[in-house]
């Protein structure tokens, strides 16, 4: 069964029954699988991405296709995250919200990623070099589960908004352009590893919720 949020407003997965809820997987120099969750009952998504090789960055993620979310619509992606000791917590892209049907190579979009252990938002695929970050945000520790939630208001104008919480605490908030035209794909896992050595993350209890703008009356 293909998971299409075109017909539903939410997707939830605790990874107890494989990866059937997702539209597809990306395994480029990496793998995604369900595995025993460290320090908790049940299973989680385990994403392993190899080291960057030349211009090719490894990917290991799951993808949900969604009906286009246009200006004024919102997307919430929440998940539990754990990074084992000995694996990088830098230059790890965790979530992509992108447009696969905009007719542009590379699928323009916005990314939630880790830099030196802190959550950041990258907009370089939208042609904006400046990343949204907070230098006083908490640094994620290894071998610990965190609850991450990312809320996004889609806009190709300065009316876009974003907010990230870590264990319920706001660690990042900003306003500005968040999309080229719309968002129609959600990727989660290691959406790219640009480190010179392998990366691994565990992801569990993913919840994706979409709210589309109401048409004018």
């Amino acid at each position: 069964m293909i998971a299409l949020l075109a017909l539903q407003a939410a997707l939830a997965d605790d990874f107890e029954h494989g990866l059937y809820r997702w539209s597809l997987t990306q395994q480029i120099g990496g793998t995604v699988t369900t595995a025993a969750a460290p320090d908790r009952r049940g299973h989680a998504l385990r994403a392993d991405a190899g080291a960057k090789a030349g211009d090719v960055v490894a990917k290991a993620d799951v993808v949900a296709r969604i009906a286009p979310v246009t200006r004024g619509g919102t997307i919430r992606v929440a998940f539990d995250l754990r990074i084992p000791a000995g694996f990088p917590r830098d230059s790890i892209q965790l979530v992509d919200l992108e447009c696969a049907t905009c007719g542009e190579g590379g699928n323009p979009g916005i990314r939630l990623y880790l830099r030196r252990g802190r959550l950041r938002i990258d907009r370089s695929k939208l042609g904006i070099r400046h990343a949204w970050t907070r230098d006083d945000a908490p640094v994620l520790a290894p071998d610990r589960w965190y609850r991450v939630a990312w809320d996004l208001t889609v806009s190709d104008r300065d009316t876009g908004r974003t907010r990230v919480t870590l264990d319920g605490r706001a660690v990042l908030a900003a306003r500005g352009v968040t999309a080229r035209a719309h968002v129609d794909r959600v990727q989660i896992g290691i959406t790219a590893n640009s480190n010179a050595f392998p990366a691994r993350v565990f992801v569990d209890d993913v919840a994706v919720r979409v709210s589309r703008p109401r048409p004018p009356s």
Side-chain angles (χ1 to χ4, degrees), residues 159-172:
T159 53
R161 295 189 299 274
T162 192
R163 185 173 184 265
V164 180
T165 61
L166 185 67
D167 290 339
R169 173 188 172 188
V171 295
L172 183 61

Side-chain angles (χ1 to χ4, degrees), residues 25-99:
T25 63
Q26 289 193 119
Q27 300 182 83
I28 303 171
T31 59
V32 286
T33 186
T34 55
D39 296 333
R40 61 167 55 178
R41 293 182 178 179
H43 293 79
L45 175 74
R46 184 177 125 176
D48 286 275
K52 182 179 179 181
D55 293 332
V56 178
V57 292
K59 295 185 178 183
D61 59 63
V62 289
V63 179
R65 296 186 181 121
I66 64 177
V69 182
T70 56
R71 184 189 305 153
T74 63
I75 302 172
R76 178 178 176 86
V77 183
F79 56 99
D80 292 348
L81 173 68
R82 181 187 176 102
I83 301 176
F87 289 91
R89 286 166 288 142
D90 184 50
S91 298
I92 300 293
Q93 295 164 3
L94 300 169
V95 182
D96 271 26
L97 301 177
E98 62 182 25
C99 180

Side-chain angles (χ1 to χ4, degrees), residues 116-188:
R116 300 184 182 91
R118 291 186 171 94
L119 291 164
R120 285 186 165 195
I121 293 175
D122 173 70
R123 297 186 294 164
S124 61
K125 290 174 68 177
L126 299 175
I128 303 171
R129 295 183 61 183
H130 173 68
W132 282 324
T133 182
R134 266 182 54 179
D135 291 338
D136 62 345
V139 175
L140 273 65
D143 288 338
R144 175 183 165 182
W145 286 102
Y146 292 92
R147 184 67 176 174
V148 179
W150 183 17
D151 292 284
L152 189 84
T153 299
V154 175
S155 183
D156 57 350
R157 302 179 181 179
D158 287 339
T159 53
R161 295 189 299 274
T162 192
R163 185 173 184 265
V164 180
T165 61
L166 185 67
D167 290 339
R169 173 188 172 188
V171 295
L172 183 61
R175 298 175 67 95
V177 174
T178 58
R180 177 77 79 233
H182 58 264
V183 174
D184 58 21
R185 228 161 80 142
V186 178
Q187 300 175 193
I188 187 165

Side-chain angles (χ1 to χ4, degrees), residues 179-203:
R180 177 77 79 233
H182 58 264
V183 174
D184 58 21
R185 228 161 80 142
V186 178
Q187 300 175 193
I188 187 165
I190 301 177
T191 72
N193 174 29
S194 56
N195 290 283
F197 36 88
R200 175 180 295 169
V201 302
F202 287 92
V203 173

